[in-house]
Amino acid sequence: MTTPKDWQAAVTGRVAEAVRRFREERGMSAQDVADACAKLGYPIARSVIANLENGRRSSVDVAELLVLAKVLDVPPVALLVPVGEESEIEVLPDQVYSTDDALMWVTGELPLDYEPPDDTVEERFEEVRKHSQMVYALLKSISRTDEHRRGAALTRDQATREFNLDLVARFDDIIGDQTLGLQEFRAQMREKGIRTPSLPPPLTHLDLVETDEGWVHVSQAPDAPGARPASPEELEALMKTRPLKRLGER
């Protein structure tokens, strides 16, 4: 069981990680952030920011969160809910939810534990909405990974190259989790009898499933588990014999 102190530390840790990530993405030092906070009229010392990012602070107050969000040019909710970074979080002590559900709750769009009645128009709208959010988050992660990969390839500075490669590795892990999560969600939609929306070209291969005869589109083997996406080598081999554009759901 999570203790109140442990849960508070976890929430603070998520905020601290978000502050560090957005600060580094914007090329700001802790002193830059401190100076910008002071200009807004709510000083937050560089040492306070450093202690937060290094885990030496166990809490962060609402005023600090709002000022840091403004300085880092992100909505405050981005410091609370790691959308596109983690698939689920402990929203309340011992209560773990998907980041999508957490975001909807924090922004006031839906209550926690909200479940629309089965087999209703409301349920179908809700499922499609969640699906769109998951696709957007995955595409965003892929785009950011490509940016950092290009940054590593183009720079001559070793420190900058290593920094970009580290971010690529982190995003690759996130992409893996998001990919499997999207596949599982699409499978759940099909089980409910909801027609899954078409995937954009960069993600079309996620509807391939492995069977005894090889990789096929899920529409041709709806009961196949599809526990993992096809590897680049498997996808290339499949497309040589059967163009992917012909595998769309009917």
Side-chain angles (χ1 to χ4, degrees):
M1 173 179 280
T2 303
T3 66
K5 185 175 181 180
D6 289 341
W7 174 72
Q8 181 186 35
V11 173
T12 304
R14 285 199 299 272
V15 173
E17 171 60 22
V19 169
R20 182 200 61 76
R21 183 175 67 253
F22 289 124
R23 176 180 63 75
E24 291 181 347
E25 287 180 2
R26 283 148 181 73
M28 300 176 72
S29 67
Q31 187 60 57
D32 292 333
V33 174
D35 292 343
C37 290
K39 288 182 179 179
L40 281 178
Y42 193 86
I44 301 177
R46 186 203 64 78
S47 59
V48 171
I49 296 169
N51 287 338
L52 175 64
E53 293 186 8
N54 293 330
R56 292 193 290 268
R57 289 193 73 196
S58 60
S59 64
V60 58
D61 63 40
V62 175
E64 290 173 331
L65 186 142
L66 293 174
V67 171
L68 288 169
K70 176 61 176 176
V71 166
L72 296 170
D73 193 27
V74 296
V77 69
L79 301 183
L80 289 171
V81 184
V83 176
E85 304 295 333
E86 297 181 34
S87 58
E88 59 183 24
I89 59 174
E90 189 177 17
V91 178
L92 296 170
D94 294 316
Q95 296 187 39
V96 178
Y97 292 85
S98 71
T99 50
D100 287 341
D101 289 341
L103 178 64
M104 294 298 102
W105 180 58
V106 173
T107 57
E109 295 184 49
L110 289 174
L112 286 176
D113 300 313
Y114 173 77
E115 289 292 340
D118 293 339
D119 197 25
T120 63
V121 171
E122 184 182 11
E123 180 194 28
R124 292 172 182 268
F125 283 177
E126 177 68 10
E127 296 288 277
V128 172
R129 180 192 63 78
K130 287 184 177 181
H131 181 275
S132 297
Q133 291 179 330
M134 295 176 76
V135 168
Y136 173 80
L138 178 52
L139 290 175
K140 187 68 174 178
S141 295
I142 292 173
S143 175
R144 293 174 70 181
T145 303
D146 290 341
E147 289 176 8
H148 290 299
R149 186 173 285 111
R150 285 193 298 271
L154 296 175
T155 185
R156 295 184 178 181
D157 180 70
Q158 183 63 27
T160 302
R161 181 180 298 108
E162 291 178 356
F163 172 75
N164 278 285
L165 290 176
D166 178 63
L167 289 177
V168 168
R170 294 186 191 185
F171 275 113
D172 280 343
D173 289 339
I174 293 169
I175 288 171
D177 291 340
Q178 291 175 323
T179 293
L180 293 179
L182 180 56
Q183 285 184 306
E184 291 172 359
F185 189 75
R186 287 174 68 82
Q188 293 169 8
M189 291 179 72
R190 290 191 290 267
E191 289 174 1
K192 294 179 180 180
I194 301 174
R195 187 183 181 90
T196 53
S198 299
L199 289 168
L203 304 180
T204 308
H205 65 283
L206 298 186
D207 270 347
L208 298 179
V209 294
E210 192 172 20
T211 68
D212 293 337
E213 288 72 35
W215 288 88
V216 300
H217 190 267
V218 67
S219 61
Q220 300 172 2
D223 296 327
R228 66 179 178 88
S231 68
E233 294 76 15
E234 292 165 330
L235 181 60
E236 182 179 1
L238 176 63
M239 292 181 68
K240 286 181 179 178
T241 59
R242 191 184 310 174
L244 191 59
K245 64 182 180 180
R246 296 180 184 175
L247 294 179
E249 289 188 18
R250 293 180 173 80

